[in-house]
């Protein structure tokens, strides 16, 4: 088998990815399948860090937060990401993956505080590091947290796991003629407003020359194919 194209990756998982076909919360079968995909690349020797969202439980810009102070709503969303991080850690334990949860908010009874040097050491030891609570600041998305942690961890690439298998010229659900981009530049993604990640995250990655790959976490084996450098999803390059 050829060796992986990347030694260290930052995987951005949305909270919605954990719902499966449910309308809320965490679907056990779905989270188990995602964890098995992660285990496959860890077993290949790839170092994996994960940033998890919280949209399956609560997000600061959701209708449920309407009328709330935005900062308060965002802090609630950060706590939702910590809940997802703990669920992900528990699922990893069931398949024999050793992981550590680090939170940008201090909740020391349930998660370690985020310490960059510790996180890098865990990765070097072959453990999966799960980052909860986003950046620890309101008004920033977990996409931005993924870009930030990706740079701090010296990751080779940020992998954004979504429901669609890449970035398209149009919505593939409504336009059958929509074409998948194999590669894009950061400037193209920003100018065309292609919704790869939010603008802050894209700009951070562009300025630090940190590539992004967008792929479907629901497509069997897609994560492994991206890590192997195969034609899967859409690659956004400097």
């Amino acid at each position: 088998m050829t060796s992986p194209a990347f030694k260290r990756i930052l995987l951005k998982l949305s909270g919605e990815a954990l719902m499966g076909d449910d309308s809320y919360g965490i679907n056990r079968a779905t989270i188990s399948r995602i964890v098995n995909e992660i285990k496959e690349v860890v077993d290949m020797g790839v170092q994996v860090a994960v940033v998890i969202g919280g949209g399956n439980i609560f997000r600061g810009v959701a209708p449920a937060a309407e009328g709330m102070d935005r900062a308060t709503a965002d802090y609630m969303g950060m706590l939702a990401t910590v809940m997802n991080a703990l669920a992900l850690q528990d699922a990893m334990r069931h398949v024999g993956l050793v992981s550590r949860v680090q939170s940008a908010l201090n909740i020391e009874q349930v998660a370690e505080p985020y310490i960059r040097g510790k996180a890098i050491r865990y990765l070097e030891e072959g453990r999966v590091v799960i980052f909860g609570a986003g950046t620890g600041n309101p008004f920033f998305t977990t996409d931005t947290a993924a870009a930030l942690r990706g740079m701090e961890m010296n990751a080779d690439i940020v992998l954004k796991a979504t429901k669609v298998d890449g970035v398209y010229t149009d919505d593939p659900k409504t336009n059958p003629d929509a074409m998948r981009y194999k590669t894009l530049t950061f400037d193209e993604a920003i100018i065309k407003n292609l919704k790869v990640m939010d603008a802050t995250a894209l700009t951070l990655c562009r300025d630090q020359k940190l590539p992004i790959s967008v792929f479907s976490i629901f497509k069997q084996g897609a994560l492994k194919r991206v890590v192997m450098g195969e034609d899967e999803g859409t690659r956004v390059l400097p």
Side-chain angles (χ1 to χ4, degrees):
M1 187 180 73
T2 54
S3 59
F6 308 105
K7 183 184 177 187
R8 181 179 294 170
I9 63 171
L10 188 291
L11 176 65
K12 165 57 170 57
L13 274 176
S14 68
E16 286 90 340
L18 305 185
M19 292 193 304
D21 294 326
D22 298 342
S23 57
Y24 176 85
I26 297 165
N27 181 287
R28 292 304 308 175
T30 300
I31 197 171
S32 294
R33 193 187 55 73
I34 290 171
V35 162
N36 280 314
E37 299 263 329
I38 294 171
K39 186 177 190 301
E40 194 173 14
V41 299
V42 171
D43 288 346
M44 289 160 49
V46 178
Q47 297 174 13
V48 180
V50 181
V51 166
I52 185 89
N56 56 321
I57 299 170
F58 189 89
R59 67 165 74 236
V61 293
E66 197 172 326
M68 272 187 184
D69 176 77
R70 173 64 192 273
T72 299
D74 279 355
Y75 278 119
M76 290 172 67
M78 287 181 227
L79 293 174
T81 71
V82 175
M83 292 168 70
N84 282 338
L86 293 173
L88 197 60
Q89 181 183 43
D90 183 72
M92 287 182 178
R93 184 175 55 81
H94 283 288
V95 297
L97 274 181
V98 181
S99 61
R100 290 287 182 271
V101 174
Q102 288 199 347
S103 169
L105 296 175
N106 282 342
I107 322 174
E108 292 182 22
Q109 284 85 349
V110 294
E112 293 181 19
Y114 169 64
I115 299 172
R116 178 176 179 263
K118 257 187 156 180
I120 290 173
R121 191 176 80 239
Y122 288 149
L123 291 173
E124 290 171 347
E125 291 170 351
R127 306 180 195 192
V128 179
V129 182
I130 307 164
F131 297 114
T135 66
N137 299 288
F139 309 105
F140 290 95
T141 66
T142 47
D143 276 356
T144 301
L148 182 63
R149 296 291 182 249
M151 289 182 285
E152 289 182 300
M153 293 300 105
N154 302 319
D156 299 320
I157 191 168
V158 171
L159 306 185
K160 179 163 182 183
T162 66
K163 293 181 179 179
V164 291
D165 63 339
V167 180
Y168 282 78
T169 52
D170 198 3
D171 187 346
K173 292 178 182 175
T174 56
N175 182 359
D177 296 323
M179 302 286 288
R180 175 174 65 89
Y181 291 103
K182 286 189 178 181
T183 60
L184 281 168
T185 66
F186 281 104
D187 288 337
E188 281 179 308
I190 292 167
I191 292 166
K192 294 179 181 178
N193 195 27
L194 291 171
K195 311 290 186 192
V196 175
M197 291 175 112
D198 71 62
T200 307
L202 273 177
T203 305
L204 275 171
C205 289
R206 180 190 67 183
D207 292 349
Q208 298 301 319
K209 296 181 171 53
L210 177 61
I212 299 168
S213 182
V214 182
F215 72 103
S216 171
I217 194 65
F218 296 105
K219 191 173 175 183
Q220 188 74 31
L223 175 59
K224 180 182 176 182
R225 286 193 291 276
V226 172
V227 167
M228 295 302 293
E230 296 175 21
D231 177 21
E232 183 66 52
T234 300
R235 189 80 55 84
V236 188
L237 303 165

